[in-house]
Amino acid sequence: MFRLTVRDHIMIAHSFRGAVFGPAQRLHGATFVVDLELQRPDLDESGIVADIGLVSELLKTVLAPLDYRNLDELDEFRGRNTTTEVLAREIAEWVRARILAGALGDEAKGALHGVKVTLRESHLAWASYEARLAPA
Amino acid sequence: MFRLTVRDHIMIAHSFRGAVFGPAQRLHGATFVVDLELQRPDLDESGIVADIGLVSELLKTVLAPLDYRNLDELDEFRGRNTTTEVLAREIAEWVRARILAGALGDEAKGALHGVKVTLRESHLAWASYEARLAPA
Amino acid sequence: MFRLTVRDHIMIAHSFRGAVFGPAQRLHGATFVVDLELQRPDLDESGIVADIGLVSELLKTVLAPLDYRNLDELDEFRGRNTTTEVLAREIAEWVRARILAGALGDEAKGALHGVKVTLRESHLAWASYEARLAPA
Amino acid sequence: MFRLTVRDHIMIAHSFRGAVFGPAQRLHGATFVVDLELQRPDLDESGIVADIGLVSELLKTVLAPLDYRNLDELDEFRGRNTTTEVLAREIAEWVRARILAGALGDEAKGALHGVKVTLRESHLAWASYEARLAPA
Amino acid sequence: MFRLTVRDHIMIAHSFRGAVFGPAQRLHGATFVVDLELQRPDLDESGIVADIGLVSELLKTVLAPLDYRNLDELDEFRGRNTTTEVLAREIAEWVRARILAGALGDEAKGALHGVKVTLRESHLAWASYEARLAPA
Amino acid sequence: MFRLTVRDHIMIAHSFRGAVFGPAQRLHGATFVVDLELQRPDLDESGIVADIGLVSELLKTVLAPLDYRNLDELDEFRGRNTTTEVLAREIAEWVRARILAGALGDEAKGALHGVKVTLRESHLAWASYEARLAPA
């Protein structure tokens, strides 16, 4: 299996609901360093998993609505905790939808097997979500 | 699959038996930067893999008997080489036992699927051990 | 010159005033990885710049009022932008005041020459403030 | 499963063919930080995945023909793009062949299950190739 | 003193002349991770060393003529070795000239005291050049 | 000023005397990642601070007597605490002596102005010692 990863980041504010979160129930924030990994069993005829320029653009496009935002005010997260884990899944699902819509081209759309998104919230903690990318 | 990782470290002395270890047969030491990863197919109702505060405490508790120790003098390692690989497995097994004993709560105990422990011994070498966490 | 550095971090929300900040004028947030460096021309009789346990505690104490907070709501920052640079200086000044008040002991108080605080806001940008620690 | 990883690096020149590569069609270069991971379900009697000295030597031996070279001039890459993905696979295959030829000893040859090679081309992008190491 | 640093990178080919360079006399290449640090004794009225957006643009502009190039073919380096040290100085001088030409605004032009450029050629070696930025 | 840095590491055992060290009074150990920085106001005629191959060899030579050792048993440290700070100074002084004895060549010996050694004992703490390298 081949894996290709690109890195970007977002800087957001948010708060959590639930005693388990302790002081993180207060409005605070995070820099999330975001790694997007694409998985593919063999390479295309150029010798790549996907066009790294398109992959970086795709990640930036998907992150843009979150960057420099208070996630508590965004409709798509209303009533949900935007934990590192939840954000990793949301970002991965948005990436998946765009790939299936052709954002990386038709060849990659059919050939990519999986996507993994890792969010690093500090030098001491990170979380990831990995999903199959099987086209319908 | 979701994965949550927290980082801690220990500073230990030890020596190895066997010609394969060359100069590491002498008493020396290491800083091991320890990453504990928990794996889980879906999130709990708060949107997390596990309470990150409890996970960090659990890792610290498991590492405490090793930290600032000469591992050659510890009963549990008598007659065994405390290589990076062996320590990764030991720490993973101790974490597993504590999770199954309820250290992360009953919900997490039933929902976590796997645990992976990585020990970084320098900027040039590291080892990990990964195991299923299936409750009996 | 000797330098000793310890690392900690905070997760905060804030917003900036001024067109120069672009989207950072919106409420957003950051993980700041904070490095506290102490400078000293010679070592104490134990062979250290300062007790690393006390230095880590001192940094944690100084960061506590900021951690998991919306800085826009804190009195000490009213009417000021809490940029990475400003926070580096504030934290350095708080550290300096506590050292001069004896937080690291009398010997260190008289012997330390300087303090430097670096805040890393992402893998792509960081800022620091360095000041003399000359006792009155 | 146990995993052992060692790190080395190469500094190479190359160019790519295909409009998808944009400015990378020009002769340019890269530092590739190379991580070699070996996978094994249980440890040998010394408590290791493999002799880390031999593994490091093996990686260095495999990288030597690439280091400080213009890959466009090497016979083995004639007519192919030496992308990060392609190089990860080539290096992994060379490692595999040498392990099967006994470079890490007979015991390791029979016990190792997989090999993964990751090439980091910058702080923002990396790629890997992972393959089974099943002996014939 | 305040310091603000931003990071970017370039991927280049080159070769060196002189027996001291050993195998690096051959055409090879490097990824240089480039850190640009600006120094300033006090902050502007927004609380910053300089507009971080402008600083990042400035660095990207200065690096553009080098990126994805064979430095052996560039006129400005004819007859000179483009070592890590030489490139650090060149980039720093180009940054200095642009700042003095107003690239970061008039206020910053008069207030900045120094510039430092660090080029990391691998995880094992890096070099920097630091210069005063005193306006005429 | 130019600065050139190379990285290596050692893995040692030791213990400290003095209540200030708490559990570090017990025999334990550390991986020290060691950065050696050389400072020089202008470059030699090849465009370098020093021959990076010689610098790396010099660092390895200086570290060899410490690597895979219990520092408590070494004559040169008898009666002294081998703290991170003390080791940084010792290594820097050994490097200085060798440079002044010609280890990097006569040209470098006369031209280098300073040396700085940084020892990273974990991802959370490090110390350095910097000294002038003025030839007699």
Side-chain angles (χ1 to χ4, degrees), chain C residues 67-120:
Chain C
D67 203 17
Y68 292 114
R69 292 286 175 189
N70 176 2
L71 303 185
D72 293 356
E73 293 175 352
L74 299 188
D75 283 344
E76 56 267 59
F77 297 124
R78 204 166 302 279
R80 290 193 294 160
N81 282 321
T82 53
T83 62
T84 310
E85 295 94 321
V86 165
L87 290 172
R89 182 182 56 202
E90 294 301 299
I91 293 167
E93 293 298 344
W94 295 338
V95 165
R96 180 156 73 158
R98 282 175 178 268
I99 291 174
L100 295 181
L104 299 180
D106 280 348
E107 197 273 343
K109 172 184 162 179
L112 292 167
H113 272 219
V115 57
K116 182 179 179 183
V117 169
T118 303
L119 268 70
R120 296 176 191 273

Side-chain angles (χ1 to χ4, degrees), chain F residues 12 16 21 29 37 47-48 51 55 62 69 72 89 100 120 122-123 127 136:
Chain F
I12 59 91
F16 298 142
F21 294 106
E37 174 190 299
I48 56 175
D51 178 350
V55 178
V62 156
R69 292 286 175 189
D72 293 356
R89 182 184 54 202
L100 295 181
R120 296 174 192 274
S122 76
H123 60 304

Side-chain angles (χ1 to χ4, degrees), chain D residues 39 96 99-100 108-115 131-136:
Chain D
Q39 302 160 355
R96 181 157 74 158
I99 291 174
L100 295 180
K109 172 184 164 179
L112 291 167
H113 271 220
V115 57
R132 302 298 297 165
L133 227 169

Side-chain angles (χ1 to χ4, degrees), chain E residues 78-120:
Chain E
R78 205 166 301 279
R80 290 193 293 159
N81 283 320
T82 53
T83 61
T84 310
E85 294 94 322
V86 165
L87 290 172
R89 182 184 55 202
E90 294 302 297
I91 292 167
E93 293 298 345
W94 295 339
V95 165
R96 181 156 74 159
R98 283 176 177 268
I99 290 174
L100 295 181
L104 298 180
D106 281 348
E107 197 275 343
K109 172 184 163 179
L112 292 166
H113 272 220
V115 57
K116 183 180 179 183
V117 169
T118 304
L119 268 69
R120 296 175 191 273

Side-chain angles (χ1 to χ4, degrees), chain E residues 17-18 20-21 81 83-86 88-89 116 121 123-131, chain F residues 1-8 35 37 41-43 45-52 120:
Chain E
R17 289 176 305 171
V20 67
F21 294 106
N81 283 320
T83 61
T84 310
E85 294 94 322
V86 165
R89 182 184 55 202
K116 183 180 179 183
E121 67 177 64
H123 59 305
L124 299 181
W126 52 98
S128 68
Y129 176 72
E130 185 174 1
Chain F
M1 182 64 75
F2 291 92
R3 292 178 177 86
L4 172 71
T5 309
V6 300
R7 175 167 285 186
D8 205 328
D35 293 339
E37 174 190 299
D42 35 45
L43 301 178
E45 62 178 20
S46 294
I48 56 175
V49 165
D51 178 350
I52 201 172
R120 296 174 192 274

Side-chain angles (χ1 to χ4, degrees), chain E residues 63-77:
Chain E
L63 296 179
L66 307 180
D67 203 17
Y68 291 112
R69 292 286 176 190
N70 177 0
L71 302 186
D72 293 357
E73 294 174 352
L74 299 189
D75 283 343
E76 57 266 58
F77 298 123

Side-chain angles (χ1 to χ4, degrees), chain D residues 24-78:
Chain D
Q25 294 175 87
R26 301 194 296 249
L27 184 63
H28 64 288
T31 305
F32 287 115
V33 175
V34 184
D35 292 339
L36 168 60
E37 174 189 298
L38 299 178
Q39 302 160 355
R40 183 176 167 151
D42 36 45
L43 301 178
D44 77 3
E45 63 178 19
S46 294
I48 56 176
V49 165
D51 177 349
I52 201 172
L54 287 182
V55 178
S56 299
E57 263 180 57
L58 168 54
L59 180 57
K60 195 167 285 301
T61 301
V62 156
L63 296 180
L66 307 181
D67 204 16
Y68 291 112
R69 292 286 176 190
N70 176 1
L71 303 186
D72 294 355
E73 294 174 352
L74 299 188
D75 284 341
E76 57 267 57
F77 298 123
R78 205 166 302 278

